[in-house]
Amino acid sequence: MTAVIELYWLSEIDLRDRPVVGEKAWILSQLKQSGYNVFPGFVISASVFRDFLDNLNDVNSLLADFPGSSLHLDVDNPRTLQLVAQQSRQSILNVSFPAQWRDILTEAARKLDSEALILRTSLGGTFPLNQDISGLTPGKVCWNVADNLETAIKEMWAQLLNAKSLFYWQRLGIRIEQLNLGILIQPMVNSVASGRIINQSKNYEIEGNWGLGNSLLQGDILPDYWKIEGESGQVLAQRLGNKSRAYSLRDKPELTQLNSEECLEVYCLSEQQQSKYCLNSEDITKTFQLFKDLHDYAISWHCLEWILCNSADNSSLELVIAQLIPLPYNQFIKNTKSEIITEPSQPQLMGIGAAPGKTQGTVYLLNEDNSSHLVSSKHPIIVTQKIHPFQLSSIKQASGVVTEEGGITSHAAILARELGIPAVVGVPGVTTWVQAGDSILIDGDHGTIILNTSNHKEITLQPSPVSLEKTPSLDYPIGTQLMVNLTQPSSLGKIKGLPYDGLGLIRSELMLLDLCTPHSLKEWLGNFQRDEIVEKIKQRIIEFAQFFNPQPIFYRTFDDKFSAEQNRRGTAGYCLDSSLFRLELQALSAVQKQGYENINVILPFVRTVNEFRFCLDLIDEFKLSSSSSFQVWIMAEVPSIIFQLADYVKAGVQGIAIGTNDLIPLLLGIERNNLSWNNIPAVYESSIYGALKQLIEEAYKLGIPSSVCGQVIVNYSPIIEKLVNWGITTISVEPEAIEKTYQAIARTEQRLLLALARETKKNLESRINNNHIT
């Protein structure tokens, strides 16, 4: 490696350096040199990375992923892709920087006068690529210590060659010499608040939260929101966010060997902070002045990331530009069959994407007084505060759903995903922003709602069709059972040909609330004949039993999640009033008598062993256990089951279904709808992993099967590898997640088999060598 590396300081970068430092660093350098408030920093150019690669021992195999290489990698082979990515990462991390490099970097970092540093990629090149590749190469934070900085730089380089990046670069046909990937290094300081400004040409929008920007970028919270008129600075609209947590820098320990992940910590916001906007009127004025200053600037920009922090003398608060993102190449929402062009000035609301897809339609405001039948309108989109139990069937008639309350584990979201219609939840005040008959566009992938009140031609953008047909990549046999969760018989046609082992969960509350329409459940049970109700339930269960026969189906009995009385949830409610539970058992018995031996029962939200015994006595009363294949499971949703599983098994439990949608929020003391399933904070991981591991391993010791279901499996895929390693028997997911989950299980089992084969070979060679010595 060359003895000297050249660093490019933001305060000195000129036009000829632009291809070398990348667009992100170039834009910040021009802003800083024009007098804007930008943190100091320097760039390590891509040439340093190439110089580093040239000195690796196995550089040829390391570059096998790129087109033109004689060792061209098939990125469609998951196993090979993972192996190459792992080898690339280890090759980079195992080589140390020359002493001269370390000295130069240490001295440059010292000039930044900060205990912590943030590293971000800055991409330059001649190909038409959006410069924001943060999804492939997310930024890193490290302590301003030589070893930490070197490791962080190498990890940034390694990200360029991880499995996701390898797939991305090869699909675009990009060669390594085209990737001028600079690394921008700046001070990392604690901030009072942070967020982003979105340029809407004539107006602009602000999103923000207390602390560092991680909570907003990772989707942990719903940020505070303002819409500002670009000429006058008048606040056109504002909304207090749903903010429960924030990030900050830790206090630096008296150690020099620190892991970069230890720099940040998450903390809970006080009630006062949650109920208060993170920016006051003076701060809003600062953003307005910044917007006006940048409006006529030579760089056309789309989004600005800002930080509000203390000045150097702590006498005031400063608004600092962290990043300026130029206009993207494509600003349109597209669909294969139709498209709509949205004007930047169109009002837009933000929520949580709960069911994927995009659709445009007419607002139908649904409240407690509405019947379950929608008015006659083209492509109705339900907009409501929350979906009430008797209104669940309305979702089946809608082309989209928007709610003020709820999260991705709400029943409305679950049903919307099963039906394949977009849903956006957690949008405070949406029922006051829209009126019945308005034309709106909702994006269930990104959680956005565009109030399309202009006279656009109404065009429906249906969700992108998701192929649920079995693909060649699903032909590899797996040992872990994979089951599907269903509620609606209309979904059965979607799963034909998929590699499932049965029906892992019928949510009876959704099924029954659909069956009783247009009546409420209470009216249905009170006004209709018992035999008529049993017959309806029986026929619905038979539809599933017949389709899956001889594969098992698991019917979870009614869980009264809609009652204001918490003591009526699950089996506790059966002890107070067992009438509905008896109807369900009578229907199940009738199904069994018609020759369907593949049905099983799961009891929901079991709190005590005595509750289970009470239910088991009723099950025996209807002689369901007379079938040798019939099993009684319980949902492991209440944390106490973690410590009492042996007592439950002794009482007769034959299996557990771990319901993560309830177990994890209860375990962490978080309201179910407030947990961000897309990116679980590291502070929660150990508790979640510990609970799941103990349940699965204890079930194995007790000789009973264990299943796991819930949104965490779909939205937090790293957990699948751990579940399989711990010995989970079954994983049960919604239809659209079958293929992704199957592939994740297959990859994990292949790695386990490979590790076992290597260990066996190693032990065999060891015995042969020992015998030879003897």
Side-chain angles (χ1 to χ4, degrees), residues 471-482:
T471 62
S473 63
L474 305 183
D475 286 334
Y476 185 88
I478 60 174
T480 306
Q481 285 190 324
L482 178 60

Side-chain angles (χ1 to χ4, degrees), residues 408-699:
I408 61 173
T409 60
S410 65
H411 285 92
I414 291 169
L415 192 53
R417 285 194 294 271
E418 183 174 334
L419 295 172
I421 61 174
V424 179
V425 299
V427 191
V430 66
T431 55
T432 61
W433 282 86
V434 300
Q435 296 180 358
D438 280 354
S439 175
I440 64 171
L441 185 146
I442 69 173
D443 183 345
D445 295 290
H446 301 97
T448 58
I449 305 162
I450 296 174
L451 309 182
N452 187 29
T453 55
S454 57
N455 295 322
H456 285 289
K457 181 181 178 182
E458 190 174 286
I459 304 172
T460 298
L461 301 177
Q462 297 296 346
S464 301
V466 179
S467 173
L468 291 180
E469 295 181 0
K470 188 174 179 181
T471 62
S473 63
L474 305 183
D475 286 334
Y476 185 88
I478 60 174
T480 306
Q481 285 190 324
L482 178 60
M483 293 194 178
V484 62
N485 303 330
L486 289 177
T487 301
Q488 302 299 310
S490 59
S491 302
L492 292 172
K494 299 178 183 178
I495 64 171
K496 286 184 178 179
L498 285 177
Y500 51 78
D501 295 298
L503 176 51
L505 187 65
I506 301 176
R507 295 181 174 93
S508 65
E509 56 273 8
L510 295 183
M511 187 191 83
L512 295 177
L513 289 167
D514 182 44
L515 288 176
C516 71
T517 302
H519 306 280
S520 70
L521 187 60
K522 185 177 181 180
E523 291 172 341
W524 193 49
L525 296 174
N527 301 335
F528 285 75
Q529 293 294 320
R530 177 187 179 98
D531 290 345
E532 184 180 348
I533 294 172
V534 169
E535 181 64 22
K536 265 195 151 183
I537 297 174
K538 183 192 82 170
Q539 291 302 328
R540 178 58 58 89
I541 296 173
I542 282 178
E543 290 184 73
F544 292 115
Q546 188 175 37
F547 181 90
F548 285 93
N549 197 32
Q551 293 175 320
I553 68 170
F554 287 83
Y555 178 89
R556 187 180 71 187
T557 52
F558 186 76
D559 185 5
D560 194 0
K561 298 180 179 182
F562 310 107
S563 174
E565 303 175 44
Q566 283 298 306
N567 63 346
R568 299 194 68 88
R569 275 211 63 181
T571 52
Y574 304 168
C575 297
L576 296 174
D577 181 0
S578 63
S579 55
L580 177 55
F581 182 52
R582 288 174 177 272
L583 293 177
E584 291 180 283
L585 294 179
Q586 185 177 342
L588 288 165
S589 177
V591 173
Q592 200 178 73
K593 287 175 182 177
Q594 286 197 209
Y596 295 100
E597 299 286 324
N598 58 333
I599 59 172
N600 304 277
V601 161
I602 303 179
L603 299 173
F605 213 76
V606 183
R607 292 182 175 92
T608 68
V609 175
N610 285 337
E611 286 179 9
F612 171 74
R613 290 196 181 103
F614 174 84
C615 296
L616 192 60
D617 288 342
L618 290 179
I619 291 171
D620 290 339
E621 182 181 322
F622 285 90
K623 300 185 178 1
L624 283 163
S625 299
S626 60
S627 169
S628 58
S629 59
F630 178 79
Q631 290 191 334
V632 182
W633 289 26
I634 61 170
M635 294 294 299
E637 298 171 296
V638 178
S640 60
I641 291 180
I642 298 171
F643 311 103
Q644 294 181 289
L645 187 56
D647 296 329
Y648 281 100
V649 172
K650 187 177 179 180
V653 167
Q654 295 168 286
I656 58 169
I658 304 170
T660 57
N661 287 349
D662 275 311
L663 176 64
I664 293 175
L666 287 172
L667 186 70
L668 303 176
I670 296 174
E671 205 279 321
R672 172 171 164 156
N673 291 329
N674 289 340
L675 183 60
S676 173
W677 297 94
N678 291 311
N679 197 349
I680 295 176
V683 69
Y684 297 149
E685 282 188 356
S686 60
S687 299
I688 294 171
Y689 289 166
L692 295 177
K693 184 174 185 286
Q694 184 169 335
L695 271 171
I696 295 166
E697 292 182 346
E698 182 69 7

